[in-house]
Amino acid sequence: MLNNLTDTEEGDGGAQSQGDNNPKESSPFINSSDVAAEKSQQYDGKNMALFEEEMDTSPMVSSLLSSLANYSNLPQGSKEHEEAENNEAESSRKKPVKAPQLGTLMGVYLPCIQNIFGVILFLRMTWLVGIGGVIGTFVIVFICCTTTMLTAISMSAIATNGVVPAGGSYYMISRSLGPEFGGAVGICFYLGTTFAGAMYILGAIELLLIYIAPKAAIFPLEGLEGAEAEAALLNNMRVYGTILLTSMATVVFVGVKYVNKLALVFLACVILSILAVYAGVIKTGIDAPDFPVCLLGNRTLVWKKFDVCAKTIESANGTVTTQLWRMFCDSPFLNATCDKYFADNNVTRVQGIPGITSGILTENLFGNYYEKGDLVAKTYVDSVEGVDDPLTNSNRYVLADITSFFTLLVGIYFPSVTGIMAGSNRSGDLRDAQKSIPIGTIAAITTTSAVYMSSVIMFGACIEGVVLRDKFGEGVNGNLVIGTLAWPSPWVIVIGSFFSTCGAGLQSLTGAPRLMQAIAKDSIVPALRIFGHGKANGEPTWSLLLTACICESGILIASLDAVAPILSMFFLMCYMFVNLACALQTLLRTPNWRPRFKFYHWALSFLGMSLCLTLMFICSWYYAIVAMVIAGSIYKYIEFAGAEKEWGDGIRGLSLSAARFALMRLEEGPPHTKNWRPQLLVLVNTDAEQNVEQPRLLSLTNQLKAGKGLTIVGTALEGTYLENSDRAQRAEQALHKLMETEKLKGFCQVTVSSNLRDATSHLLQASGLGGLRHNAVLVSWPRNWKQADEHQTWRNFIELVRETTAAHLALLVPKNIAAFPSNGERFTEGHIDVWWIVHDGGMLMLLPFLLRQHKVWRKCKMRIFTVAQMDDNSIQMKKDLTTFLYHLRIDAMVEVVEMHDSDISAYTYEKTLVMEQRSQILKQINLTKTEREREIQSITDSSRGSIRRKNPAAVTIQLSVTEDQPGGSKEEKPEEEVQLIHDNTTPTSPATPATPLTPATEGAQTPGQQVQMTWTEKCDGEPAKPPGAATPEGIKDIFNMKPEWENLNQSNVRRMHTALRLNEVIIKKSSEAKLVLLNMPGPPKNRTGDENYMEFLEVLTDGLNRVLLVRGGGREVITIYS
C-alpha cells in the first residue's frame, strides 16, 4: 500500500485530476513538479531517446527508486503525509528528514503494555474473580485475550501490507473496507477511545475518594445509607471527574510534549505495581500478611468504628463489651437488647489473605452472583437466621452494590484487553514498522494475557472469597483489595494505579482528538470538517473540545461499571471490522494483498470477527444494537452525503466479485415475467457545450424507475475518438452532473463515431454487460423534424425505431418532453390515460403503475381506454378488461370507445395529398438542380391538372403541414402554413425550409403574380372550409375533385384516416389528462414512406399536451399469476 490520498481528494480545492475526473491515489510512481522541470535533462546522455515520448508520465527507474527511498521517511499522518509528498523536494533542500529510530521494544511493545494494563486490573480484577469464580473468570479472560490475539494477527497482516500512516485502525479499515465502513468504524473507535478516557478518569477518582483521601469528598457519606449514600458517591465522582478532566484537557491543549515526557513515568508505575503484586503473592507462601476479616455468622461486617472482632473481651474487671457490641445493642451492658441476628450468631475473625498454600482456591473455583443489596456472605459457613426475619442494621454489613451476572462481567473486563493498536498508531516513528508491529503487538498481548490469566489463579489461591467479592475493601478496613496482596505496602498499588490511570486518561485525551482530526481531514464526513482544523502547529483544538464534551458525558454517568460496557461495544466493533478487512482481502486475493506477515489465515480472521460479534451481544445486547445503529447511521450518511473516495478498498473488490457472480447467473436465461422491469437506455442529445438538451428526459426516467433497476444514460457524438476524447469526457461529466441533480442512479456512456446514426446504433448494441442489459429505450420525439435542415434527425429516429424492433427492445417516446413535470412538482389530481389499441405485452399497463409509485404522479388516477369496432361486443369487452385488471391487481377505470366505420372524409384526402406532396419536396433536398426542377415540375403539373381553380392563370399552393403548438385549445388554434413558391431567379438551398414547388410557365405568370390556396385544420378533427366551399356549389366542387384523389396511395389514405379518427376520439376523451399513453405504430417495412410515418404520428398525437408513445419489445412484461 505505497499510496496515499492527494489534496485533490480532500476536497480542499485541489486541481482536478485528468482522465475520468475521479480522485486518484498518489504514489512515488507519479512524477513531481521537479521532474517536469528537468524534462530536458532527464534522458540526455542516458541512451534513452527511444522513451522520450513517455517522459511526461513514466519516470526512469533511478528516479522511481529515489522516490521510494524518501517515501517512508515522510512525516506520518493523513494530510501531513500528503502535503509532505507534494513538497518533497522543497523540504529535502531546506531540512533533512530525521529517520525514525524506535525499535520493537520502545516503539510497540511497551506502549501496548501501557495501554493494555489499566484501571480494570487494579480496581475490578479481584472482584471479577470473586463473583465469577476462578473458572468463570478464567474463561472470560481466555475468550477476550483470544479475541485480541486473533485481531492482532489480522492487524499485523494489514499493517505489513504497506506503509500505515498515523490513524492506526481507522486508516487500515478505511483503506481496506472503503470510506463508508472506514468512517463508521473510525468514529466508533474514536468514541471508544473517548469513553476509555472517561473510564480512566472515573477510576482515578474512585482511587482518590475511597482509598487515598476519603475525607476530600464534597458530599460526605457519613451517616448515609442505601440510595442516599450511593447518590452522594456518584455526585462526588461527577464533581471531581469534571475537575480532573478539565485539568487533563488543559495539559493536552498546552502541549502534547508534556504528556509524552510523562509517559515513561506512568509506564514505570504500571510495571512496578504489577511486580509488587507478584512479589506479594510469593510472600504469602512464606509469611501471609495480617488482614483480618470479621464475620457475624456468615455475613461480612464493614470494618469501621470498631477495633476488635468480638462481642466481648475478658479483662481484669471481668467481661467487657466491645465497640462491635455497641453497634448492634442499645447499651454497653451485657443485659442490653441486641439485634436478633447478632444475638443468635457468633463473631468470627478470619484471615483475609490466607496465602497461596492455604488451599482457599477450591472455595473460589465457582462463582457467586448477587442481586443488588444482597449480603456478601462466606460460603460453607452456617448461619442462624429465620426465613422471615427482616434485615436490620444493613449498613453494618458488606452489601453488593450492583446486580451481577456473567455477561456483565464480560463487559466490565473487556476494556482491560484493549489498547492493542498502540503500536500501529506509532508506525511512522518505527525503524522497521513491518517487522516491529507484528512482533511487538503479539508479544505484548502474550505478556498481558499471561499476566491476566495468572492473576486470576493467584487471586483465587491467595485471597479469601468474601474479600474478593468485597468490591471496595470495606471488610478489610477500607483497603484496596489488590493492595492487601502487594508487597511491601498496599500504598505501592494505590499510588501506582492512581498515576497509571491518570496517564492512561491523558493518553486517551491525546489520541482521540488526533483520530477525529484524521477522519475530518479525509473529508468523508462533511459534518465533521470543522474538527480537522487546529492550532498553527497542527494541534487539533476543535477535536480536543469535542472529545472533552463526549468524555464529560461519560463522567456524568459516574459509574465505572456502567461506562466499561459502552466502550467495550465500540472497541469490539472496531476489532470486528479489522478481522473482516483481513478476511476479505485474503479471500478476494487482490493483487495488492502481499503482507510481509505470513502467519495469518482467513479462517482465523473470520473466527476473530465472530468472537467480536458474539462478545458484543454477550456484554450487552441493547448496547450492541445501539452501537450498530450508530455505525449504520454514519455509514448511510457517508454514503449519502460524504465525499466519494477511491482507495482501492476491499469492499470495491467484493462488489466486483459479487457483480461478476451475479452477471454470470443472469446469463443463464432471461428474467421471468414477474421479475421484468424496464431497464432503460436513455438517449439524450448534447449541445455545443456538451450540456444535455432535454433534462426533463432524466426526470421522467427517475419517475419511471424510482431508483430501481438498470439505467444507462447515453449520448452520441460525431467525429473520431482521438480528436474528440476531451469532448466525450466533458459530455460524460455533464451527464454525471445532471444525473446527480435529478437523483438518478445509474451509469452514463458516451459513444463517438463518424456519424450520429452509427454512434446511436453502437450505443444500442454495446450498452450493458452480459445479462445486465437494457430492455427498453427512452428517446425524445424529434420536435423540429419538419425543418428541412433537420431531415437527418427524423431519418435517424425511424432507423432507431426499426433497430429497437429488431433487437426486441421496448421503445418509449415522450412527445413534448419540455411539458413533463420535474421531480419537484406534484399533481394533486388528474388522470393518466392509457389508450390500449393493440396488445404490446402489457407495457401500457405496467408503465402507469410504475409512474404512480413516484410522488409526482401518486395522486393521479389511471384510466384505460380501448377501441371497439363494429363487430365487437363493447359491453363484453369492458367486462373482460375489468376482470383482467382485477387479476393484474391494478386499479383503473375502464372505458370502451366505439369507432364505427365511416367514409373517408375529404379532409383526409386533402391531408394525405399535402403529406405526399411534402414527401416529394423532401426528396428534392439532396437532388441536383436539374433533377430538382424536373421533379418539382412533375409535382406541379399533377397539382394543376387535379385541382381546379377559378383563376388558373397562376397557382401557388400554401399548405398546412407543420406541427401544432403544444397545449392548444379546441377553440383557438393558430394557422400554420408552409408556402411552396418557385422563383426561377431565386437560387434554392437544401437547408431552406421553403422548397420550390411551382415553376414559372411561359405567359402564365410573372414573378410577382401569385394565387394562394389555404385551409386550416381544427382540433376537433373537422376540416375548415376551403375557399369556395361555403355554398352547395363549393361542396359540389370538392366532390368533383375525388377522381383526382384516386391517384393517391390508398394505403396512406387509410393510415391517415385511422390517425385522424383516433386523434379525434383521444382529444374528446383525454384532452384534460395529465399524461396520455398510447401504442406507437411501427414504421413501414419499405423505406420509401418514412416521412409519411412521421406525419401519421404527428396527426395521431395532435392537440395533446403530454404524450408517451409506447412500443413493446415482443415479450410479456406483466402477468396475473403470483
Side-chain angles (χ1 to χ4, degrees), residues 840-1085:
D840 58 352
M843 281 285 289
L844 284 173
M845 308 292 177
L846 187 60
L847 292 177
F849 171 78
L850 295 175
L851 280 174
R852 292 182 66 236
Q853 306 303 306
H854 197 274
K855 52 192 173 185
V856 172
W857 304 92
R858 191 166 292 153
K859 298 292 182 66
C860 294
K861 299 185 183 301
M862 184 175 166
R863 298 189 300 189
I864 295 182
F865 298 90
T866 189
V867 176
Q869 303 297 331
M870 279 294 292
D871 52 350
D872 293 328
N873 186 339
S874 59
I875 298 176
Q876 187 63 37
M877 281 181 66
K878 184 172 183 178
K879 289 177 61 178
D880 292 343
L881 182 55
T882 303
T883 304
F884 180 58
L885 290 176
Y886 174 79
H887 288 305
L888 288 178
R889 291 90 64 201
I890 292 178
D891 296 325
M893 293 180 285
V894 176
E895 185 171 343
V896 178
V897 179
E898 296 181 353
M899 286 185 62
H900 302 296
D901 291 339
S902 62
D903 294 332
I904 299 175
S905 64
Y907 177 62
T908 302
Y909 281 104
E910 293 286 0
K911 194 78 172 174
T912 308
L913 178 62
V914 170
M915 179 185 70
E916 293 198 353
Q917 287 177 337
R918 184 180 183 283
S919 299
Q920 293 294 326
I921 295 166
L922 292 173
K923 290 178 182 178
Q924 308 308 312
I925 293 175
N926 296 319
L927 298 178
T928 63
K929 182 177 180 181
T930 306
E931 292 172 331
R932 186 184 300 123
E933 290 182 355
R934 187 184 304 120
E935 187 71 23
I936 293 173
Q937 183 65 45
S938 65
I939 298 172
T940 308
D941 291 344
S942 174
S943 300
R944 280 207 197 99
S946 61
I947 303 177
R948 294 180 301 198
R949 294 295 176 201
K950 298 199 173 183
N951 183 11
V955 178
T956 300
I957 305 173
Q958 184 170 342
L959 304 175
S960 171
V961 295
T962 58
E963 180 184 4
D964 297 328
Q965 297 293 328
S969 63
K970 289 186 178 182
E971 292 79 10
E972 296 180 7
K973 181 170 182 180
E975 297 183 5
E976 299 168 346
E977 303 166 343
V978 171
Q979 294 187 358
L980 307 176
I981 305 171
H982 179 73
D983 189 343
N984 285 334
T985 62
T986 305
T988 61
S989 170
T992 306
T995 307
L997 173 67
T998 310
T1001 56
E1002 293 83 6
Q1005 165 180 320
T1006 63
Q1009 294 175 320
Q1010 299 176 359
V1011 176
Q1012 298 182 353
M1013 182 191 77
T1014 305
W1015 68 80
T1016 305
E1017 175 193 352
K1018 293 186 179 179
C1019 284
D1020 58 6
E1022 298 179 0
K1025 298 176 181 179
T1031 61
E1033 291 79 12
I1035 297 173
K1036 181 180 178 181
D1037 191 44
I1038 286 180
F1039 283 99
N1040 288 339
M1041 289 190 280
K1042 190 168 183 178
E1044 287 75 17
W1045 287 339
E1046 291 177 355
N1047 296 328
L1048 299 174
N1049 186 319
Q1050 292 304 308
S1051 174
N1052 288 342
V1053 173
R1054 289 195 305 273
R1055 289 169 183 263
M1056 183 63 73
H1057 177 63
T1058 303
L1060 284 169
R1061 290 297 312 280
L1062 275 176
N1063 177 258
E1064 179 182 351
V1065 173
I1066 294 172
I1067 288 290
K1068 183 177 180 181
K1069 297 288 186 181
S1070 302
S1071 60
E1072 301 298 326
K1074 301 299 183 185
L1075 177 64
V1076 176
L1077 290 87
L1078 71 157
N1079 293 111
M1080 180 180 182
K1085 294 182 179 180

Side-chain angles (χ1 to χ4, degrees), residues 718-755:
E718 192 170 6
T720 62
Y721 185 74
L722 286 177
E723 297 175 354
N724 294 276
S725 58
D726 291 343
R727 184 173 159 223
Q729 183 181 346
R730 291 197 304 272
E732 189 173 352
Q733 291 172 2
L735 293 180
H736 268 301
K737 185 176 180 181
L738 185 59
M739 290 172 71
E740 289 178 2
T741 303
E742 297 291 341
K743 297 181 180 178
L744 180 63
K745 295 185 180 298
F747 311 96
C748 58
Q749 189 168 348
V750 179
T751 303
V752 183
S753 187
S754 56
N755 59 76

Side-chain angles (χ1 to χ4, degrees), residues 60 104 155 249 296 326 342 399 428 433 469 511 527 621 673 764 803 822 960 1018 1054 1090:
M60 291 180 62
T104 303
M155 184 196 70
L296 176 60
R326 300 185 187 98
F342 180 79
L399 304 176
R469 293 187 286 278
W621 64 267
T673 303
L764 200 69
E803 288 182 356
S822 65
S960 171
K1018 293 186 179 179
R1054 289 195 305 273
D1090 283 356

Side-chain angles (χ1 to χ4, degrees), residues 5-186:
L5 295 179
T6 62
D7 285 336
T8 301
E9 205 171 349
E10 299 297 333
D12 293 337
Q16 293 295 324
S17 57
Q18 296 299 317
D20 58 0
N21 200 35
N22 287 332
K24 300 299 181 188
E25 294 200 356
S26 64
S27 76
F29 298 88
I30 306 302
N31 283 341
S32 66
S33 58
D34 289 341
V35 177
E38 296 171 2
K39 283 182 182 180
S40 60
Q41 304 174 10
Q42 190 171 14
Y43 292 90
D44 291 348
K46 297 185 180 179
N47 300 319
M48 291 293 174
L50 182 62
F51 299 96
E52 285 178 351
E53 296 298 328
E54 284 77 24
M55 65 184 300
D56 288 338
T57 56
S58 303
M60 291 180 62
V61 174
S62 59
S63 302
L64 169 63
L65 295 177
S66 175
S67 300
L68 285 173
N70 293 328
Y71 191 79
S72 60
N73 294 335
L74 295 174
Q76 299 300 311
S78 296
K79 188 67 172 290
E80 292 81 3
H81 183 86
E82 297 153 13
E83 292 173 349
E85 182 182 9
N86 294 334
N87 302 310
E88 181 181 344
E90 291 183 12
S91 61
S92 62
R93 283 195 298 266
K94 293 178 181 178
K95 184 179 180 181
V97 180
K98 184 180 178 181
Q101 296 296 328
L102 292 179
T104 303
L105 181 67
M106 296 299 296
V108 180
Y109 181 76
L110 291 180
C112 284
I113 291 286
Q114 182 183 2
N115 279 267
I116 294 173
F117 286 136
V119 63
I120 300 297
L121 173 63
F122 301 120
L123 290 182
R124 293 291 182 270
M125 197 68 187
T126 53
W127 178 78
L128 289 171
V129 175
I131 297 294
V134 172
I135 295 177
T137 309
F138 191 88
V139 170
I140 292 173
V141 172
F142 180 78
I143 292 174
C144 293
C145 291
T146 302
T147 303
T148 54
M149 179 61 78
L150 293 173
T151 304
I153 292 172
S154 299
M155 184 196 70
S156 298
I158 297 174
T160 58
N161 191 47
V163 177
V164 178
S169 60
Y170 161 68
Y171 184 90
M172 290 188 291
I173 294 172
S174 62
R175 270 55 175 183
S176 297
L177 296 180
E180 294 87 1
F181 275 113
V185 179

Side-chain angles (χ1 to χ4, degrees), residues 219 230-240 558:
F219 300 92
E230 182 180 356
L233 177 62
L234 294 180
N235 287 331
N236 283 321
M237 300 281 281
R238 292 184 181 109
V239 173
Y240 277 99

